[in-house]
């Protein structure tokens, strides 16, 4: 999955290099945050600098606050933004969803393998 993200960022960068400066993955499950922190170092430094992976709650809110004011962050993410009284801003934001279980399992397996590879034999 880390390779897929790396490939995605690089391909998008080739198509529109001036348009992609950051990729924010918010409300990420802890397994993804852990995997990113562990394996992200293996990616190209330019790619790593573009990607931020934030866990749920305050981690997501603090990440968003680096780029947006509270007035621009949707209410359901901890900001003040509402569209037509809707804190989810559904008129302009498409709903996300949980990561597929297969993706979570793959990240956990990668993390396990990486940990085993680093442990002394």
């Amino acid at each position: 999955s880390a390779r897929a993200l790396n490939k995605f960022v690089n391909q998008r960068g080739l198509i529109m290099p001036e348009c992609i400066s950051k990729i924010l993955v918010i409300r990420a499950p802890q397994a993804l945050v852990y995997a990113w922190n562990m394996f992200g170092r293996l990616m190209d430094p330019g790619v790593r600098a573009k990607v931020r992976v934030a866990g749920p709650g305050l981690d997501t809110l603090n990440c968003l606050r680096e780029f947006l004011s509270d007035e621009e962050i949707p209410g359901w993410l901890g900001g003040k933004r509402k569209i037509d009284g809707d804190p989810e801003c559904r008129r302009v934001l498409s709903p996300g969803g949980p990561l597929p279980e297969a993706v979570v399992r793959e990240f956990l397996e990668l993390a396990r393998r990486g940990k085993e590879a680093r442990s002394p034999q």
Side-chain angles (χ1 to χ4, degrees):
S1 294
R3 278 189 231 141
L5 180 60
N6 191 18
K7 185 175 179 182
F8 169 76
V9 171
N10 283 328
Q11 287 178 347
R12 290 280 291 181
L14 291 173
I15 296 169
M16 300 183 295
E18 71 284 352
C19 294
I20 188 162
S21 62
K22 293 286 180 200
I23 295 175
L24 304 178
V25 180
I26 59 170
R27 299 182 63 219
Q30 289 304 322
L32 178 58
V33 174
Y34 176 78
W36 175 253
N37 289 335
M38 179 180 261
F39 296 108
R41 292 177 278 220
L42 303 175
M43 292 187 172
D44 176 80
V47 171
R48 178 144 175 91
K50 291 181 181 184
V51 178
R52 292 286 311 272
V53 179
L58 280 177
D59 196 18
T60 283
L61 184 57
N62 289 334
C63 177
L64 291 172
R65 282 179 171 156
E66 290 181 35
F67 306 97
L68 303 166
S69 70
D70 278 1
E71 286 71 29
E72 298 170 299
I73 299 171
W76 70 280
L77 292 171
K80 297 178 181 176
R81 181 75 170 169
K82 294 180 183 176
I83 295 182
D84 297 332
D86 177 17
E88 293 185 24
C89 304
R90 287 174 278 211
R91 198 176 82 191
V92 296
L93 296 175
S94 62
L99 285 174
E101 190 60 37
V103 171
V104 174
R105 280 193 309 270
E106 183 177 342
F107 272 115
L108 290 173
E109 178 62 21
L110 287 169
R112 183 188 64 74
R113 285 188 206 155
K115 191 174 184 179
E116 287 174 357
R118 287 190 319 274
S119 66
Q121 301 298 331

